[in-house]
Amino acid sequence: MASQSLKWIPIGGLGEVGKNMMAYEYGKNILLVDGGLMFPESDMHGIDAVIPDYSFLKEKREWVRGIIVTHGHEDHTGAMPYVVKDFPNVPIYCTPLTKGLLEIKLKDAKVLDKTTINAVPTDGVVNIGPFRVEFFRMCHSIPDNVGLGITTPAGLIVHSGDFKFDHTPVDGLKPDFAKLAEFAGRGVLALLSDSTNAEHPGITPSERDIEPALENVFRDAEGRVIVATFASLISRVQQVVNISEIYGRKLAIAGASMMDNVKIAQKMGYLEIPDGMLVRLEDAVKMPVHEVTIMATGTQGEPSAVLGRMATGRHTLLNAMPGDSIVLSAHPIPGNEEYVHRIINRLFQRGANVIYSPLAQVHVSGHARQEEQKLLISLLRPKYFIPVHGELRMLMAHGRLAQQLGIPPEHVFVVENGTPVEFSDGKARKLDRIPGGYVFIDGSGVGDIGPVVIRDREVLARDGFILIVLRRDPHGGLADDPEIITRGFIYMKDSDEFIRNMAQSVRESVKGLNGTAADEAFKEKAVDALSKFVYAETRRRPMVIPVVA
Amino acid sequence: MASQSLKWIPIGGLGEVGKNMMAYEYGKNILLVDGGLMFPESDMHGIDAVIPDYSFLKEKREWVRGIIVTHGHEDHTGAMPYVVKDFPNVPIYCTPLTKGLLEIKLKDAKVLDKTTINAVPTDGVVNIGPFRVEFFRMCHSIPDNVGLGITTPAGLIVHSGDFKFDHTPVDGLKPDFAKLAEFAGRGVLALLSDSTNAEHPGITPSERDIEPALENVFRDAEGRVIVATFASLISRVQQVVNISEIYGRKLAIAGASMMDNVKIAQKMGYLEIPDGMLVRLEDAVKMPVHEVTIMATGTQGEPSAVLGRMATGRHTLLNAMPGDSIVLSAHPIPGNEEYVHRIINRLFQRGANVIYSPLAQVHVSGHARQEEQKLLISLLRPKYFIPVHGELRMLMAHGRLAQQLGIPPEHVFVVENGTPVEFSDGKARKLDRIPGGYVFIDGSGVGDIGPVVIRDREVLARDGFILIVLRRDPHGGLADDPEIITRGFIYMKDSDEFIRNMAQSVRESVKGLNGTAADEAFKEKAVDALSKFVYAETRRRPMVIPVVA
């Protein structure tokens, strides 16, 4: 048999390696795993989302045999509308709940008819080209989450997916330890494992461990209980349902995305809500305050989500008020801390009692910490180890853990997005990085915003702009005083004198030019003089745009 | 004696109550405490710093008898150049190191000659108008830090200042427990206490507790050891000096602000560096790597500080390289996490080993946690309690602690900046809020940037702008195609067709106007049509500015 190599490629994304999308390539066969999006970093001004740059696959389009989606979170599904557009008719494989959630997303994007989604049970097996893929259940903060055992001609690769080892998950469905043991028996060529919490020692608490803190809130609450969490955190909804039942409270859902998810999960049997418990928000707000629980979105400080509007009094139905007990059952995603804290302060200002971490353990992470990460490595005894799903600092920490467990340093591959690892004859090596990075989504634009536009936005955000309108007279000189318009630089209404002085500096600057000088010469002189004048006066560097009329 | 009331006023600042400046007013006497600045929040685009809005004091200017500065950190001293300009000749009182640091600041701002700074020992007493102020030592992350016992005609107010109860501080100078006990004996009308860590249970570790982790770094390091921390963290410098001596390493300082602080602290005896240990950075980088320690600034992710430049290879002398052990001996200030993480990733990319929290305990907070906060309350047994130095959520947590210790809820005053508390006849009550807030510093501008400009910057940051230049012909119609200029909206070079279409939409919109229509009518039509066209095409809402030439 001619020896072919298997290439594993973490596809260009933002920060977290292989989180949003990865590819397995063997001969003329490509298997994709996940198609997620990332939230932009805070200095990516105006960008709505970031998706992986899979453009290098476009010339190999017909090699793509299938796409597996490991679970229904945005960072694994959010780019699927774009992926489906670019790879129509490539079959998608995922578990039933993931299918349900993905269908909503693809329908909203009007691309559901361009593809086929195959439901696979959490212990199902699918053959995709030369890849035999065994799904196996792993716990995470959404039901129906799986890891993958991918038997390739080069050997067995195990991909943990997003995971934690929860022995007491809310749905009672534990990680598939037996399958992990079986993989180990067969021999694992490489393990790719979730590095999100590799900097944190110990074990991530079980989902169940938040129940005492939730109990305290319900026991002490005299008014409404409002629990804010991620729209997809079905198990948290189940916990709040259970405890609301005990305390005789009805439940309303505030937030369209959470409502969608709850409906799908309920319909498919992933969420059990007693008959008559679920009420409409408009009814809930009219009920006696001690008879109602409300679940809401907006835990990341988004001003336009439910919690943000509640905090500023801009929700039509649901504003925070004295007597409310408001639980933030989610941790801020790094970069959002400031906005989340602001909302907490505002909820307190409105007289509500706010319960959040670290005041009480009302949330736990969905990702394994060091001791669980070690356990996975020990269970699987892989020959090679590739930390994935994390920024470089987390991968480094995870890689060190693997070495502590006896995996030789040269068998640990810490790579960044775009850098493939090749497996051939039982050996692994790093290949050269594939050019590319990630793609900005801005409004309806995909990839049309690049570094130049972002840099301009940065300048505009910092100091605004000044527009100089130069009018030339019939002899070519300056017809009258240049018009000066600014935005984001100074408050024009209070700055008459300064604006006159700016105009004066422009007028002076073009004095030496004679009537035959080109417009460009006028512009250049004006911009140069005005920029210097403005910097000297204000120590600011607004963008200066000249127009010759 | 006519009963007069004492007013305590936390002066308008950003988020943290009374952190940057507070006032005590009795009759026609005002005592100010601290004059600090805050870092802007991340959506305060382009703002360099924020200072308290003390404008309400301007009409009472001649009542201001003195200004006390409790310690030398920016958030307590950074606004002093502005304060000194506005209250010239009002005497300043502070401890010797604080005086040294403040002198540098006021000299840089060219206002040192406008005031007098009086050095007061950490156990000194000063009489300022009707206020008798007793300084007392409290531990914090800078030497010569004090709390204040202020005996007023209304009673004794104790202000904790920034504090932690460190029993083993690096300089050996412990909190003045005896003075606290004495205050309690005299009877404390009100305690104002630092709430920074009121959300965190337990005790903040001692400065000494980071030494094992630092030891590990020095023991294992084969190359350079680079320790980044706050420029003012003199005790951290002392710790690094001590351990560098043991390991036979010379020390260089990278960062002008840290160098200034080190020089002053060394000159004044707050820092002991063995003769010959301190070397210039340009020499240090030429020495054998295992013989050198470097201390650097930039732990908050600032791209232009030393660590940021090291991480991106833009420092002229000092770039991170394989073999370097780089310690981040500071926690990110909330809002900076993303930038700090980015720098850690980049340092790893350059091959350095990076040691940071939570991987190792290489930093401890300078602020008391709950058990220390409780201890202070128990030691002083105040009649009234006012949590200060914190956002509302922290004050709420601190207020709850005080209640747990038996202070009645109606004796706990959680107030926001600008809301005075009045003490009269041994009773306290909240007064109406003083209008005002905080003042933006942008470049050399103080307070000239307000909400309108910030809102414009927000729009510009998100979607940039489009400029329409309309030229009218002699008959009043549109002379030729309107000129379209954009920045921060689309990449103009790749968008010829779209720009033509934008011009077309403008042309269409003004067709119905006859030659006598006013310029304003042309502008209005054009802006309206173009905004709609652009939103339909791109789902973006750039600012649209019309100019008629």
Side-chain angles (χ1 to χ4, degrees):
Chain A
M1 165 182 121
S3 143
Q4 268 184 315
S5 72
L6 171 77
K7 272 185 235 167
W8 168 78
I9 309 158
I11 297 179
L14 197 61
E16 297 203 63
V17 175
K19 176 88 181 183
N20 309 119
M21 196 176 202
M22 47 176 80
Y24 293 86
E25 183 177 332
Y26 186 84
K28 293 189 175 177
N29 304 280
I30 292 173
L31 169 65
L32 297 178
V33 176
D34 291 330
L37 58 72
M38 292 291 288
F39 301 108
E41 296 180 352
S42 43
D43 48 4
M44 296 176 176
H45 292 299
I47 298 302
D48 299 316
V50 180
I51 62 168
D53 178 5
Y54 48 76
S55 53
F56 76 100
L57 287 175
K58 285 186 182 166
E59 59 192 32
K60 302 176 178 177
R61 198 183 302 253
E62 62 288 10
W63 298 3
V64 179
R65 307 272 171 247
I67 306 165
I68 295 175
V69 179
T70 57
H71 64 285
H73 278 158
E74 277 297 291
D75 52 347
H76 295 256
T77 66
M80 287 304 290
Y82 308 98
V83 174
V84 167
K85 263 180 225 160
D86 287 322
F87 302 97
N89 301 317
V90 172
I92 297 171
Y93 304 88
C94 58
T95 56
L97 179 63
T98 307
K99 184 182 179 210
L101 296 169
L102 195 54
E103 279 172 351
I104 297 176
K105 184 174 295 296
L106 297 183
K107 206 171 164 185
D108 284 350
K110 302 191 174 60
V111 294
L112 184 56
D113 59 345
K114 291 199 194 313
T115 191
T116 321
I117 310 181
N118 303 285
V120 179
T122 53
D123 60 351
V125 182
V126 282
N127 290 297
I128 303 170
F131 308 107
R132 179 181 148 83
V133 184
E134 293 164 85
F135 284 31
F136 60 95
R137 178 180 292 122
M138 289 293 251
C139 294
H140 185 46
S141 42
I142 189 169
D144 251 17
N145 173 68
V146 290
L148 307 173
I150 307 175
T151 302
T152 76
L156 171 61
I157 313 282
V158 178
H159 168 47
S160 73
D162 283 14
F163 85 101
K164 67 192 273 192
F165 281 130
D166 195 334
H167 298 285
T168 54
V170 171
D171 61 7
L173 300 167
K174 298 177 196 176
D176 193 345
F177 286 104
K179 183 57 95 177
L180 293 171
E182 191 199 319
F183 287 146
R186 285 192 242 156
V188 175
L189 177 62
L191 167 63
L192 281 59
S193 181
D194 176 1
S195 309
T196 310
N197 277 334
E199 297 168 319
H200 298 280
I203 287 180
T204 296
S206 167
E207 289 267 304
R208 289 275 182 218
D209 293 353
I210 69 158
E211 292 179 6
L214 270 188
E215 282 267 354
N216 287 343
V217 173
F218 276 81
R219 195 193 55 226
D220 299 342
E222 289 170 9
R224 305 183 295 190
V225 175
I226 298 167
V227 181
T229 192
F230 296 108
S232 61
L233 228 178
I234 302 301
S235 60
R236 195 63 33 88
V237 178
Q238 186 69 64
Q239 288 175 300
V240 173
V241 164
N242 298 348
I243 194 162
S244 293
E245 195 180 7
I246 295 168
Y247 284 87
R249 288 176 182 255
K250 303 282 186 191
L251 176 70
I253 306 282
S257 53
M258 186 182 277
M259 197 67 211
D260 283 348
N261 291 338
V262 162
K263 274 186 197 157
I264 274 282
Q266 199 184 8
K267 188 175 137 203
M268 299 179 71
Y270 291 91
L271 178 62
E272 288 183 24
I273 304 181
D275 286 345
M277 173 182 265
L278 209 54
V279 295
R280 295 184 320 160
L281 185 60
E282 43 270 55
D283 298 327
V285 293
K286 290 177 203 142
M287 293 167 57
V289 290
H290 60 282
E291 291 178 12
V292 63
T293 304
I294 295 165
M295 292 204 70
T297 54
T299 54
Q300 296 307 307
E302 314 92 313
S304 59
V306 177
L307 199 66
R309 284 184 287 147
M310 279 175 64
T312 46
R314 291 179 298 107
H315 197 287
T316 45
L317 291 171
L318 184 63
N319 288 316
M321 61 184 193
D324 283 348
S325 299
I326 304 179
V327 180
L328 266 77
S329 189
H331 293 147
I333 293 169
N336 293 343
E337 292 87 349
E338 200 181 330
Y339 303 109
V340 175
H341 293 160
R342 198 184 288 178
I343 281 185
I344 295 174
N345 289 332
R346 287 188 177 152
L347 293 171
F348 274 124
Q349 258 173 348
R350 299 181 74 84
N353 186 25
V354 194
I355 301 99
Y356 57 99
S357 184
L359 294 187
Q361 185 172 293
V362 285
H363 181 64
V364 292
S365 169
H367 298 274
R369 291 188 164 204
Q370 288 177 353
E371 291 307 313
E372 296 158 271
Q373 291 168 335
K374 289 182 196 168
L375 177 59
L376 185 62
I377 296 170
S378 294
L379 282 169
L380 289 171
R381 303 189 306 271
K383 182 169 175 185
Y384 291 99
F385 181 71
I386 307 181
V388 294
H389 295 188
E391 298 172 31
L392 189 51
R393 62 196 166 97
M394 304 164 187
L395 308 187
M396 295 295 295
H398 205 178
R400 277 193 297 267
L401 282 189
Q403 290 179 43
Q404 284 166 15
L405 301 191
I407 299 184
E410 63 277 15
H411 282 205
V412 175
F413 286 82
V414 174
V415 297
E416 293 193 80
N417 276 323
T419 301
V421 176
E422 183 187 57
F423 297 92
S424 182
D425 299 322
K427 289 197 171 59
R429 66 185 187 106
K430 201 155 89 170
L431 300 184
D432 287 341
R433 187 171 178 157
I434 297 167
Y438 42 78
V439 175
F440 289 143
I441 308 284
D442 183 1
S444 59
V446 180
D448 64 332
I449 300 286
V452 174
V453 173
I454 295 290
R455 221 173 305 130
D456 281 348
R457 288 181 182 174
E458 216 172 285
V459 172
L460 291 169
R462 200 167 50 229
D463 288 322
F465 70 88
I466 307 176
L467 176 63
I468 318 173
V469 186
L470 302 161
R471 294 188 178 84
R472 295 184 70 172
D473 63 25
H475 311 294
L478 208 57
D480 43 22
D481 256 5
E483 189 182 350
I484 302 277
I485 297 171
T486 82
R487 290 290 184 280
F489 167 55
I490 47 166
Y491 189 47
M492 286 188 72
K493 286 193 180 167
D494 290 350
S495 310
D496 285 349
E497 194 194 333
F498 184 54
I499 291 171
R500 274 197 303 277
N501 292 343
M502 285 197 279
Q504 170 71 14
S505 80
V506 170
R507 215 168 40 231
E508 297 280 328
S509 74
V510 298
K511 259 189 183 160
L513 292 174
N514 69 42
T516 59
D519 285 355
E520 287 312 309
F522 272 80
K523 288 183 185 178
E524 205 174 292
K525 289 271 183 201
V527 169
D528 189 55
L530 186 60
S531 302
K532 279 182 186 147
F533 174 76
V534 161
Y535 183 73
E537 291 289 311
T538 65
R539 302 280 138 187
R540 296 176 203 160
R541 298 187 188 283
M543 191 181 277
V544 180
I545 310 276
V547 175
V548 174
Chain B
M1 168 181 121
S3 147
Q4 266 185 316
S5 73
L6 173 76
K7 273 186 234 167
W8 168 77
I9 309 158
I11 297 180
L14 196 60
E16 296 202 63
V17 175
K19 177 86 181 182
N20 310 120
M21 197 175 201
M22 47 176 79
Y24 293 85
E25 183 177 331
Y26 186 84
K28 294 189 176 178
N29 303 282
I30 292 173
L31 168 65
L32 297 177
V33 176
D34 291 329
L37 60 73
M38 292 289 288
F39 300 108
E41 295 180 353
S42 43
D43 47 5
M44 296 176 176
H45 291 298
I47 299 302
D48 298 318
V50 180
I51 63 169
D53 178 4
Y54 49 76
S55 52
F56 76 99
L57 285 177
K58 285 185 184 169
E59 59 193 32
K60 303 177 177 177
R61 198 183 304 251
E62 63 288 11
W63 298 3
V64 179
R65 307 272 172 249
I67 306 166
I68 295 175
V69 178
T70 58
H71 64 284
H73 279 159
E74 275 299 291
D75 52 348
H76 295 257
T77 65
M80 286 303 290
Y82 307 99
V83 175
V84 166
K85 263 180 226 159
D86 287 322
F87 302 98
N89 301 319
V90 173
I92 298 171
Y93 304 88
C94 58
T95 57
L97 179 64
T98 307
K99 182 180 182 215
L101 295 170
L102 196 54
E103 279 172 350
I104 297 176
K105 184 175 296 296
L106 297 183
K107 205 169 165 187
D108 284 351
K110 303 192 174 60
V111 294
L112 184 56
D113 58 346
K114 293 200 192 312
T115 193
T116 320
I117 310 180
N118 303 285
V120 179
T122 52
D123 60 353
V125 183
V126 282
N127 290 298
I128 303 170
F131 308 107
R132 178 180 149 84
V133 185
E134 293 163 85
F135 284 29
F136 61 94
R137 180 181 289 123
M138 287 293 251
C139 294
H140 185 45
S141 41
I142 189 168
D144 250 17
N145 172 68
V146 291
L148 307 173
I150 306 176
T151 302
T152 75
L156 171 61
I157 313 280
V158 178
H159 168 46
S160 73
D162 283 12
F163 86 100
K164 66 191 275 191
F165 281 131
D166 195 334
H167 298 285
T168 53
V170 171
D171 61 7
L173 299 168
K174 298 178 197 177
D176 192 346
F177 286 102
K179 181 58 90 175
L180 292 172
E182 191 198 319
F183 288 145
R186 283 192 242 158
V188 176
L189 176 63
L191 166 64
L192 282 59
S193 180
D194 177 1
S195 309
T196 311
N197 277 335
E199 298 168 318
H200 298 280
I203 286 179
T204 296
S206 167
E207 289 266 304
R208 289 277 182 216
D209 293 353
I210 69 159
E211 291 180 4
L214 270 188
E215 282 266 355
N216 287 343
V217 173
F218 276 80
R219 196 194 54 227
D220 298 344
E222 289 171 7
R224 305 184 295 191
V225 175
I226 299 167
V227 181
T229 193
F230 296 108
S232 61
L233 229 178
I234 301 301
S235 60
R236 195 64 33 88
V237 177
Q238 186 69 63
Q239 288 175 300
V240 172
V241 163
N242 297 348
I243 195 165
S244 292
E245 193 179 10
I246 295 168
Y247 283 87
R249 288 176 182 256
K250 303 284 187 188
L251 177 69
I253 307 283
S257 53
M258 186 182 278
M259 197 66 212
D260 282 349
N261 291 338
V262 163
K263 273 187 197 157
I264 275 282
Q266 197 183 9
K267 189 175 136 204
M268 299 179 71
Y270 292 90
L271 178 63
E272 288 184 22
I273 305 180
D275 285 345
M277 172 182 266
L278 208 55
V279 295
R280 295 185 318 161
L281 184 60
E282 44 270 54
D283 297 327
V285 293
K286 289 180 203 141
M287 291 168 57
V289 290
H290 60 281
E291 292 179 10
V292 62
T293 303
I294 296 165
M295 291 203 72
T297 55
T299 54
Q300 295 307 308
E302 315 93 311
S304 59
V306 176
L307 199 66
R309 285 185 285 149
M310 280 177 62
T312 47
R314 291 178 300 108
H315 196 287
T316 44
L317 290 170
L318 183 64
N319 287 315
M321 61 184 192
D324 283 348
S325 299
I326 303 179
V327 180
L328 265 77
S329 190
H331 293 148
I333 293 169
N336 293 343
E337 292 86 349
E338 199 181 329
Y339 304 108
V340 175
H341 293 160
R342 197 184 286 178
I343 281 184
I344 295 174
N345 289 331
R346 286 188 176 151
L347 293 171
F348 274 125
Q349 257 174 349
R350 299 181 75 84
N353 185 27
V354 193
I355 301 97
Y356 57 100
S357 185
L359 294 187
Q361 183 172 295
V362 284
H363 182 64
V364 292
S365 169
H367 298 274
R369 291 188 165 205
Q370 288 176 355
E371 292 307 314
E372 295 157 272
Q373 291 169 335
K374 288 183 197 169
L375 178 59
L376 184 62
I377 295 170
S378 295
L379 282 170
L380 289 172
R381 303 188 306 271
K383 182 169 177 187
Y384 291 98
F385 180 70
I386 307 181
V388 293
H389 295 189
E391 299 172 30
L392 188 52
R393 61 195 167 96
M394 303 164 186
L395 307 187
M396 295 296 296
H398 205 179
R400 278 193 298 267
L401 283 189
Q403 291 179 43
Q404 284 167 17
L405 301 191
I407 298 184
E410 64 276 15
H411 282 204
V412 175
F413 285 82
V414 173
V415 297
E416 293 194 80
N417 276 324
T419 300
V421 176
E422 183 188 56
F423 297 91
S424 182
D425 298 323
K427 288 199 174 55
R429 66 185 188 107
K430 201 155 89 168
L431 300 184
D432 286 341
R433 188 173 176 154
I434 297 167
Y438 41 77
V439 175
F440 289 143
I441 308 284
D442 183 0
S444 59
V446 180
D448 64 332
I449 300 285
V452 174
V453 173
I454 294 290
R455 222 174 303 129
D456 281 348
R457 288 181 182 175
E458 216 170 284
V459 172
L460 292 169
R462 200 166 52 229
D463 288 322
F465 71 87
I466 307 176
L467 175 63
I468 317 172
V469 185
L470 301 160
R471 293 188 179 84
R472 296 185 70 172
D473 62 24
H475 311 292
L478 207 59
D480 43 22
D481 256 6
E483 189 182 352
I484 302 277
I485 297 171
T486 83
R487 290 289 186 281
F489 167 54
I490 47 165
Y491 189 47
M492 286 189 73
K493 286 196 180 166
D494 290 350
S495 310
D496 285 349
E497 195 194 331
F498 185 55
I499 291 170
R500 274 196 305 276
N501 293 343
M502 286 197 279
Q504 170 70 14
S505 80
V506 169
R507 214 168 41 227
E508 297 281 328
S509 73
V510 299
K511 258 188 183 161
L513 293 173
N514 68 41
T516 59
D519 285 354
E520 287 311 310
F522 272 79
K523 286 184 185 177
E524 206 174 291
K525 290 271 183 200
V527 168
D528 190 55
L530 186 61
S531 301
K532 281 181 185 147
F533 174 77
V534 160
Y535 184 72
E537 291 288 312
T538 65
R539 303 281 139 185
R540 296 176 203 162
R541 299 188 188 280
M543 190 180 277
V544 180
I545 309 276
V547 175
V548 174

